[in-house]
Amino acid sequence: AALATVPAAAPAALASAAAAAAAEARAQLAPNTRALLYLNNETFRDPGGGTASFVRRVLELGVPLVMVHEKDPDAGGAPFHTLFQQTPEDLVRQKRLFDDLAIDLHAAPAHRTVSLRLAMRALGAKPARRRRLAPLRWGWLAARWWLGWRGAQEASLSEASTSGSRSGKKAKLDCGRNTPAERV
């Protein structure tokens, strides 16, 4: 008799209350919040299903989920079909966990670096501004050339002033602009 008094709209009211609670929880998150799911051969084998409940909650809140798939067997990597089999059915079928591609985390150091950068970018990291070394390098070379030229100019000036004072003639400064006929 008690069941007969429950209105038919009760499941809809519970669903809307759950949606309102999820919207409130989502509003408390930072706008750039993302979740990382590291996929290896132990991801969904935890006792109590803590990882699966975490993933369910993240998907309910609408937080972007970045999945990184370990490929190195020494670090617990497994083929993707193994991970697919270990994942709870509701995450695969209803929540459609694997609709988005996972970033492969390769074993080779050069590939691993690229994989980690891709994961960081997916998590919201911005690439560092690259400093342009060419102008600095050319600036240094130009400064060295200028100092070398100025040093040669000063040496030429000191030679001209000492030789000119002995001979009594006024020496012209040779900076490479004068022709041999104009030089004293």
Side-chain angles (χ1 to χ4, degrees):
L3 291 178
T5 60
V6 175
L14 289 175
S16 67
E24 182 182 329
R26 193 177 311 118
Q28 292 176 356
L29 294 173
N32 55 359
T33 300
R34 290 172 178 82
L36 174 67
L37 181 62
Y38 178 71
L39 299 169
N40 67 0
N41 60 2
E42 298 293 324
T43 300
F44 290 107
R45 289 188 176 179
D46 58 334
T51 304
S53 62
F54 167 75
V55 171
R56 283 184 195 99
R57 183 71 175 146
V58 164
L59 294 175
E60 285 171 7
L61 291 175
V63 174
L65 184 65
V66 177
M67 295 182 290
V68 178
H69 175 210
E70 181 64 66
K71 296 289 231 170
D72 185 7
D74 296 335
F80 198 77
H81 67 84
T82 304
L83 300 172
F84 199 78
Q85 292 169 351
Q86 292 175 0
T87 306
E89 274 300 308
D90 67 313
L91 290 176
V92 175
R93 303 271 184 237
Q94 296 165 352
K95 304 286 185 183
R96 308 191 59 86
L97 175 65
F98 296 119
D99 280 1
D100 292 331
L101 294 176
I103 297 168
D104 289 337
L105 193 57
H106 294 279
H111 294 281
R112 197 165 189 90
T113 302
V114 172
S115 298
L116 290 172
R117 286 188 180 174
L118 287 172
M120 288 187 296
R121 292 286 301 268
L123 289 169
K126 303 257 190 283
R129 293 188 121 192
R130 295 184 71 178
R131 292 184 189 164
R132 301 194 76 190
L133 295 178
L136 294 175
R137 189 177 314 139
W138 287 111
W140 178 78
L141 286 174
R144 189 166 180 192
W145 173 81
W146 175 255
L147 290 174
W149 180 72
R150 296 277 298 171
Q153 183 182 16
E154 289 171 5
S156 182
L157 181 61
S158 65
E159 287 175 15
S161 65
T162 57
S163 65
S165 63
R166 288 184 198 153
S167 64
K169 295 181 182 177
K170 189 174 181 180
K172 286 188 176 180
L173 181 62
D174 180 17
C175 295
R177 293 179 296 222
N178 299 335
T179 61
E182 294 175 337
R183 293 185 190 142
V184 177

